[in-house]
């Protein structure tokens, strides 16, 4: 990674190019790398010395009982945690080789690279079309984008999330009026026109019924390869079905990180097997 | 109160159950419920009572001496004229409207700006301190504002604009704008606060700056509440009496510029009612002005309320 670093940096906007770069030097490029990352909410320490290497282009799931720091970790990667105002951190988080916690980092650029899907679908109180275009318009503020270009962007994004056929006749309708499952898909769709490299998903299915969960999981699987996906879930079956690698966290510490099947079938740490077998959590 | 032992009726369990026993808490609850009911409907009773009173005092004028064309079409408010008293309220309406209008021009940008700063940009101690200050500002008595208009604004306007008198629309409009600003700020800030934080979070995660979040998400979502805030500010300006009486110059006059002195509806009532004979045409005409004020402020407040309710229904 170190020697391919500068080149990867030049290509941060294109995950596919980064993958080729990585293949050339036969080192899997890292999407997210943290070193001794600690985080406090006020005086409460939520994360302890987290060292994680999340690989590009695959789906990594994060599991663990409530309050173990999965969501906190996720929300640290795009620094959305800082909205709270009483968050303090030490250590580093590198996204595509850039230290995003550095003082001179423009949050806007960081968040352009990293899309986030929240626990509850949170479409903006705008039309479906404006929701999809929201991020794109923000990152192209001041530029004139023609109506037909916008139409293409909307159609592509909605097709990518398998929502186009459902909403194509009502693009001007309010996004908040859609069923929850469609809202969550829309929340994924609005990330795509910004062309992020990484998608962070914070229990994206927890507000959905089983059918909606299945549909969104299918979608996440479709997006695999085009995006690096880090998904937090409470649902172990989901983690097992829908991820390549799996991270198990407990009380703010990373206990285990490996291929999903290894973590589930032959966990190294007894705490992991306890959790997977349902002894706590 | 007769208490019945219900051992024989409580079935096979054999537990004694005083099923109809009323303890102290029951009586306290009923008493409190009654008290808050009275307090609750008293607002309605008072409003109806005030309306009935004003109408009763003014109705005599409306049915006898009232001339619709004169009242709304003539600027000649000469209730004490010996030859022929005329009751043209146009100049008073224009006075109130011009002062309120200028007040809104002064107040709306300040208030909405302050609300957006407090609600969306300021954090922690700054935000709390500002909120308290704004509420303090709302508590300043109107006579103090009037005093500021008389003793500070008046010479300032005369000197700055080189006009003969500083008690005019400009003076009272600025004073009234400053008076209406705190209430508008508070209500507008409440409207912004009612916008779910998940919207802000979603927009910020997409990379939007604070201002982009505010302009593209929060303000559209809070639109109705903001409109209501402005309307309530208008209502406040419309009904204000003392400060306008002191700062407007109080001369019956159709205004042609902001440096003209005017007289407001409210100020007219306040200044003249004490000198009229009860039951006279003049007395009743003043109550008719009162009816007009009441109806206008009622409509403004009702509109504001309906606008806010519109946001909730969606």
């Amino acid at each position: 990674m170190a020697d391919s670093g500068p080149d990867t940096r030049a290509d941060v906007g294109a995950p596919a190019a980064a993958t080729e770069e990585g293949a050339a030097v036969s080192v899997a490029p890292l999407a997210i790398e943290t070193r001794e990352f600690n985080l406090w909410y006020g005086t409460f320490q939520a994360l302890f010395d987290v060292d994680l290497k999340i690989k590009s282009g695959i789906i990594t799931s994060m599991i663990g009982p409530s309050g173990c720091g999965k969501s906190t970790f996720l929300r640290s990667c795009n620094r959305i945690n800082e909205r709270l105002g009483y968050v303090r951190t030490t250590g580093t988080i590198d996204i595509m080789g850039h230290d995003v916690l550095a003082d001179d980092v423009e949050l806007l650029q960081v968040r352009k690279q990293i899309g986030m899907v929240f626990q509850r679908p949170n479409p903006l109180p705008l039309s479906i079309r404006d929701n999809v275009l929201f991020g794109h318009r923000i990152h192209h503020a001041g530029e004139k984008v023609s109506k037909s270009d916008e139409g293409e962007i909307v159609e592509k994004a909605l097709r990518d999330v398998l929502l186009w056929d459902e909403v194509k006749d009502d693009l001007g309708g309010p996004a908040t009026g859609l069923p929850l499952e469609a809202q969550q898909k829309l929340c994924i769709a609005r990330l795509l026109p910004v062309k992020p490299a990484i998608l962070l998903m914070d229990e994206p299915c927890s507000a959905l019924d089983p059918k909606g969960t299945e549909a969104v999981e299918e979608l996440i699987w479709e997006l695999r390869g085009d995006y690096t996906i880090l998904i937090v879930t409470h649902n172990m079956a989901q983690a097992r079905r829908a991820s390549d690698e799996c991270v198990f966290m407990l009380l703010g510490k990373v206990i285990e990180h490996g291929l999903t099947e290894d973590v589930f079938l032959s966990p190294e740490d007894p705490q992991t097997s306890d959790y997977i077998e349902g002894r706590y959590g | 109160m007769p208490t019945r032992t219900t051992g024989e009726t409580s079935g096979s369990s054999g537990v004694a159950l005083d099923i109809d026993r009323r303890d102290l808490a029951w009586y306290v609850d009923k008493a409190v419920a009654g008290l808050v009911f009275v307090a609750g409907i008293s607002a309605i009773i008072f409003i109806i009572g005030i309306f009935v009173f004003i109408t009763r005092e003014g109705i005599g004028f409306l049915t006898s001496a009232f001339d619709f064309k004169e009242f709304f079409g003539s600027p000649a408010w000469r209730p004490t004229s010996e030859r022929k008293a005329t009751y043209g309220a146009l100049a008073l309406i224009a006075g109130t409207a011009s002062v309120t209008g200028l007040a809104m021009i002064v107040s709306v940008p300040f208030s909405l700006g302050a609300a957006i700063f407090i609600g969306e940009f300021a954090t922690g101690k700054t935000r709390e301190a500002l909120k308290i200050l704004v509420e303090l500002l709302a508590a300043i008595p109107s006579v103090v504002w009037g005093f500021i208009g008389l003793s500070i604004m008046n010479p300032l306007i005369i000197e700055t604009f080189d006009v003969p008198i500083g008690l005019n629309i400009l003076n009272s409009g600025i004073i009234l704008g400053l008076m209406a600003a705190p209430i508008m700020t508070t209500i507008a800030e409440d409207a912004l606060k009612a916008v779910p934080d998940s919207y802000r979070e979603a927009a910020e995660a997409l990379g939007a700056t604070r201002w982009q979040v505010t302009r593209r998400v929060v303000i559209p979502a809070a639109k109705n509440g903001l409109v209501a805030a402005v309307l309530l500010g208008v209502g406040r300006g419309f009904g204000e009496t003392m400060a306008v009486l002191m700062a407007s110059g109080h001369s019956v006059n159709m205004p042609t510029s902001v440096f003209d002195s005017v007289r407001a509806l409210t100020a007219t009532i306040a200044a003249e009612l004490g000198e009229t004979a009860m039951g006279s045409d003049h007395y009743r005409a003043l109550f008719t002005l009162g009816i007009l004020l009441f109806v206008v402020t009622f409509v403004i407040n009702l509109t504001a309320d309906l606008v806010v309710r519109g946001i909730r229904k969606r």
Side-chain angles (χ1 to χ4, degrees):
Chain A
M1 191 61 203
D3 43 357
S4 73
D7 294 328
T8 317
R9 273 162 211 229
D11 283 327
V12 280
T19 315
E20 279 163 29
E21 186 74 29
V25 294
S26 75
V27 177
L30 292 177
I32 304 170
E33 181 177 14
T34 70
R35 279 179 296 271
E36 293 182 21
F37 184 67
N38 292 282
L39 183 143
W40 291 263
Y41 291 118
T43 54
F44 173 77
Q45 187 166 7
L47 293 175
F48 296 83
D49 289 328
V50 173
D51 287 284
L52 268 178
K53 292 179 168 62
I54 307 294
K55 295 190 187 76
S56 271
I58 63 166
I59 301 178
T60 304
S61 60
M62 300 187 85
I63 57 170
S66 295
C68 71
K70 316 176 292 266
S71 292
T72 296
F73 177 77
L74 211 64
R75 295 166 65 86
S76 301
C77 293
N78 63 351
R79 294 178 60 178
I80 197 84
N81 246 352
E82 291 169 22
R83 298 187 74 237
L84 296 174
Y86 50 86
V87 173
R88 201 160 53 82
T89 63
T90 62
T92 60
I93 299 181
D94 287 7
I95 304 285
M96 319 294 294
H98 292 264
D99 179 5
V100 293
L101 298 179
D103 291 335
D104 59 346
V105 159
E106 282 299 324
L107 278 183
L108 198 135
Q109 298 307 326
V110 173
R111 289 174 184 167
K112 195 173 168 183
Q113 290 300 320
I114 309 178
M116 183 162 218
V117 182
F118 295 84
Q119 220 171 63
R120 279 202 68 78
N122 56 355
L124 299 167
L126 309 167
S127 69
I128 295 172
R129 181 189 294 110
D130 288 341
N131 260 281
V132 177
L133 290 169
F134 188 87
H136 187 263
R137 284 179 177 156
I138 278 174
H139 294 289
H140 295 80
E143 289 173 34
K144 262 266 164 264
V145 182
S146 73
K147 278 265 174 278
S148 66
D149 284 353
E150 289 195 337
E152 272 174 40
I153 291 168
V154 171
E155 177 169 353
K156 180 165 186 333
L158 289 174
R159 277 195 193 285
D160 283 352
V161 299
L162 321 171
L163 194 61
W164 175 249
D165 292 325
E166 190 180 331
V167 301
K168 67 181 172 199
D169 298 322
D170 191 29
L171 293 175
T176 43
L178 292 169
L180 277 182
E181 173 201 336
Q183 285 189 17
Q184 194 62 302
K185 284 180 169 177
L186 180 65
C187 289
I188 299 174
R190 71 177 170 200
L191 305 175
L192 307 184
V194 185
K195 302 194 172 63
I198 301 169
L199 300 181
L200 304 173
M201 302 193 177
D202 190 357
E203 300 192 41
C205 301
S206 65
L208 307 181
D209 59 17
K211 203 176 127 281
T213 303
E214 198 185 325
V216 171
E217 264 181 38
E218 188 189 329
L219 162 63
I220 294 170
W221 199 249
E222 293 263 331
L223 297 171
R224 182 181 179 274
D226 293 337
Y227 303 92
T228 301
I229 296 175
L230 185 58
I231 176 170
V232 163
T233 179
H234 255 110
N235 179 337
M236 262 174 304
Q238 182 177 57
R240 199 165 176 175
R241 275 195 304 269
S243 70
D244 301 288
E245 289 197 0
C246 184
V247 177
F248 171 62
M249 289 185 74
L250 188 64
L251 297 172
K253 297 189 176 86
V254 173
I255 305 294
E256 195 152 348
H257 177 197
L259 295 174
T260 300
E261 51 183 47
D262 291 347
V263 172
F264 276 89
L265 294 178
S266 50
E268 286 171 10
D269 195 293
Q271 296 176 101
T272 314
S273 49
D274 283 354
Y275 178 68
I276 285 165
E277 285 159 24
R279 269 179 231 157
Y280 55 80
Chain B
M1 191 185 67
T3 50
R4 182 160 54 95
T5 38
T6 52
E8 70 275 15
T9 56
S10 65
S12 56
S13 70
V15 177
L17 184 65
D18 279 349
I19 204 153
D20 56 354
R21 196 169 72 85
R22 290 168 174 176
D23 53 18
L24 185 63
W26 187 89
Y27 290 101
V28 171
D29 180 61
K30 287 291 165 218
V32 170
L35 273 175
V36 294
F37 175 73
V38 170
I41 62 163
S42 65
I44 301 171
I45 291 171
F46 285 137
I47 285 196
I48 294 174
I50 289 169
F51 187 72
V52 167
F53 171 71
I54 296 178
T55 314
R56 204 191 62 196
E57 297 298 314
I59 199 82
F61 180 74
L62 278 173
T63 50
S64 61
F66 184 72
D67 176 351
F68 186 85
K69 222 177 100 192
E70 183 188 79
F71 190 79
F72 286 105
S74 157
W77 179 260
R78 296 197 200 95
T80 51
S81 171
E82 304 250 314
R83 246 178 331 112
K84 186 183 181 302
T86 54
Y87 300 99
L90 185 63
L92 310 181
I93 295 169
T96 289
S98 56
V99 172
T100 309
L102 182 68
M104 288 306 113
I105 294 172
V106 172
S107 182
V108 168
F110 267 112
S111 310
L112 296 188
I116 288 169
F117 181 72
I118 294 172
E120 303 297 317
F121 286 82
T123 50
K125 287 212 176 77
T126 321
R127 172 186 247 166
E128 293 310 313
L130 277 173
K131 280 170 85 166
I132 292 169
L133 277 174
V134 167
E135 273 155 29
L136 271 179
L137 213 56
I140 296 177
S142 60
V143 69
V144 174
W145 285 108
F147 182 73
I148 293 171
L150 265 177
S151 61
I152 298 175
M153 297 283 292
N154 184 22
L156 199 68
I157 290 174
I158 292 175
E159 205 171 302
T160 314
F161 298 101
D162 196 23
V163 286
I165 184 152
L167 298 175
N168 49 26
I169 297 177
L170 183 66
N171 189 335
S172 48
I174 291 173
I175 292 291
L176 199 55
L178 293 177
M179 286 179 71
I183 189 166
M184 278 168 72
T185 306
T186 307
I187 297 169
E189 202 242 322
D190 284 346
L192 296 176
K193 208 161 55 188
V195 175
D197 206 40
S198 66
Y199 293 163
R200 293 186 188 86
E201 196 171 61
E204 271 184 43
L206 280 162
T209 60
R210 199 64 72 88
W211 173 237
Q212 283 171 325
V213 174
T214 306
R215 186 168 71 87
R216 292 171 191 248
V217 181
V218 178
I219 290 178
K223 195 176 61 218
N224 290 10
L226 298 178
V227 170
V230 172
L231 281 175
L232 289 173
V234 173
R236 173 88 176 82
F238 220 83
E240 175 49 37
T241 308
M242 185 48 77
V244 178
L245 174 64
M246 291 167 81
S248 67
H250 200 58
S251 67
V252 180
N253 195 2
M254 283 301 284
T256 52
S257 89
V258 289
F259 299 113
D260 284 347
S261 292
V262 290
R263 188 192 278 199
L265 288 164
T266 48
T268 307
I269 299 174
E272 294 179 3
L273 193 59
E275 294 162 13
T276 59
M278 203 166 163
S280 66
D281 269 0
H282 185 193
Y283 174 88
R284 288 172 171 170
L286 290 176
F287 269 95
T288 308
L289 295 183
I291 296 174
L292 180 67
L293 272 172
F294 186 89
V295 169
V296 170
T297 44
F298 185 77
V299 167
I300 291 172
N301 280 285
L302 192 68
T303 313
D305 203 44
L306 289 177
V307 165
V308 170
R309 266 168 221 284
I311 205 175
R312 298 223 184 95
K313 218 178 284 171
R314 212 155 26 89

